[in-house]
Amino acid sequence: MTVLSVSGDTITWLNGHQADFLPLPDRATDFGDGLFETLLLKRGQPLYLERHLARLSRGSAALFFPTDAVQMVTETIALAKQDIAAIGWPWSVLRVTLSRGAGPRGYAPPVICEPRTLATATRLEHNPLEIAEPARIGLASICWPIQPALAGLKHLNRLEQVLAAREYRLQGLDEALMLDHDGNVISVTSGNLFAVVEGEIVTPKLEQTGIQGTRRQCVIEDWAPALGKTVSEVQLSLAQLKAAKEVFLTNTLLGLRPISAMKNIGWERDNVCTSLFQHYRDSCL
């Protein structure tokens, strides 16, 4: 019988085994050469796992990882599920990182690589099925970089979001709006963005940059249609966002969260976000 080693409210696995260190060298730490997924678990069961694995598969192919890399992640998640369920955490978050592994010095990846999976589970104190208070956001001074080859993927290079998050924390805000270099609205630092404009639900196009979130996909494909509504992916300007009736964000740990204000601009907490949240909540029960 395996004895779990739990450090506070966190457990870490390396290649499916509990560990507290990462072998070096590793291209994830050297170059950000890898991908990650953040999963919400209810009593040890990941929600929307298929959507996470589908995005991971797209990223693995884009980075030319071995064909069995995603299967390695799937196996790690399966082992983590068992351990988390055994502990009995009601809600937890599992961050799974897929690294290309070790390699020689230099940017060029090894011809033959042995990927590594690093997974960290953390107990959640809040109930993700209770809608969060409306967020107050700022406008980040740093922009999303344009890179179509990596657009939509959850790769490890996240420095723009790190700097934007530092800004909003220093300002005492909940989030920051991030634009691209042409001034188009892309997202907030830790989630996708939606707006109700002239009665229609819209979300920014993410063909050039940004992350295509799993909950964003759920809104577009499942929850909005359940309300009899469609979502349009558009090039959204800052002026259009400011004129919107309602604005909200989506991410893995919150599901959906209304946004109330950005500086002197205020948005209503209308019925679209709360109605969508109810469908999200029902799908998780």
Side-chain angles (χ1 to χ4, degrees), residues 90-233:
W91 291 98
S92 57
V93 55
L94 182 68
R95 152 83 185 234
V96 185
T97 300
L98 175 63
S99 165
R100 200 183 298 268
R105 183 184 178 280
Y107 288 127
V111 176
I112 299 176
C113 67
E114 297 182 4
R116 292 170 177 158
T117 59
L118 178 67
T120 302
T122 305
R123 178 188 177 104
L124 282 184
E125 297 299 331
H126 75 276
N127 181 355
L129 300 188
E130 294 179 359
I131 193 166
E133 288 297 314
R136 296 177 304 115
I137 68 173
L139 180 61
S141 63
I142 191 167
C143 297
W144 273 100
I146 300 298
Q147 180 46 269
L150 299 175
L153 306 180
K154 205 156 187 179
H155 56 78
L156 295 179
N157 298 273
R158 297 287 141 216
L159 287 179
E160 290 84 7
Q161 290 158 275
V162 168
L163 294 177
R166 176 182 179 274
E167 283 186 346
Y168 80 69
R169 287 284 178 85
L170 289 175
Q171 297 169 16
L173 300 173
D174 302 305
E175 256 293 358
L177 178 68
M178 296 186 68
L179 312 177
D180 66 14
H181 286 277
D182 293 325
N184 298 308
V185 172
I186 300 298
S187 70
V188 290
T189 64
S190 298
N192 292 116
L193 197 73
F194 290 81
V196 179
V197 178
E198 297 180 353
E200 300 294 325
I201 306 175
V202 300
T203 191
K205 288 183 178 180
L206 300 178
E207 298 169 346
Q208 303 293 314
T209 189
I211 298 175
Q212 294 176 359
T214 58
R215 280 32 172 194
R216 175 183 186 269
Q217 189 178 11
C218 287
V219 171
I220 294 172
E221 298 179 2
D222 300 329
W223 303 333
L227 295 178
K229 297 180 179 295
T230 58
V231 178
S232 299
E233 298 178 67

Side-chain angles (χ1 to χ4, degrees), residues 30-108:
D30 290 346
F31 307 116
D33 189 0
L35 305 154
F36 74 102
E37 291 290 331
T38 303
L39 292 84
L40 178 64
L41 282 71
K42 179 183 180 182
R43 292 191 290 272
Q45 296 302 312
L47 303 182
Y48 311 106
L49 179 58
E50 296 79 7
R51 294 190 187 277
H52 286 283
L53 292 177
R55 180 174 59 189
L56 188 71
S57 296
R58 294 193 300 271
S60 180
L63 296 185
F64 303 99
F65 273 37
T67 55
D68 62 348
V70 176
Q71 181 59 34
M72 291 178 58
V73 173
T74 302
E75 293 170 358
T76 293
I77 292 172
L79 292 169
K81 283 169 51 179
Q82 295 177 7
D83 289 350
I84 295 167
I87 294 170
W89 288 345
W91 291 98
S92 57
V93 55
L94 182 68
R95 152 83 185 234
V96 185
T97 300
L98 175 63
S99 165
R100 200 183 298 268
R105 183 184 178 280
Y107 288 127

Side-chain angles (χ1 to χ4, degrees), residues 1-52:
M1 179 178 179
T2 301
V3 178
L4 295 179
S5 175
V6 183
S7 177
D9 288 331
T10 300
I11 320 172
T12 302
W13 300 263
L14 176 66
N15 292 339
H17 301 282
Q18 284 199 57
D20 56 7
F21 66 91
L22 178 66
L24 298 176
D26 191 277
R27 291 181 61 87
T29 57
D30 290 346
F31 307 116
D33 189 0
L35 305 154
F36 74 102
E37 291 290 331
T38 303
L39 292 84
L40 178 64
L41 282 71
K42 179 183 180 182
R43 292 191 290 272
Q45 296 302 312
L47 303 182
Y48 311 106
L49 179 58
E50 296 79 7
R51 294 190 187 277
H52 286 283

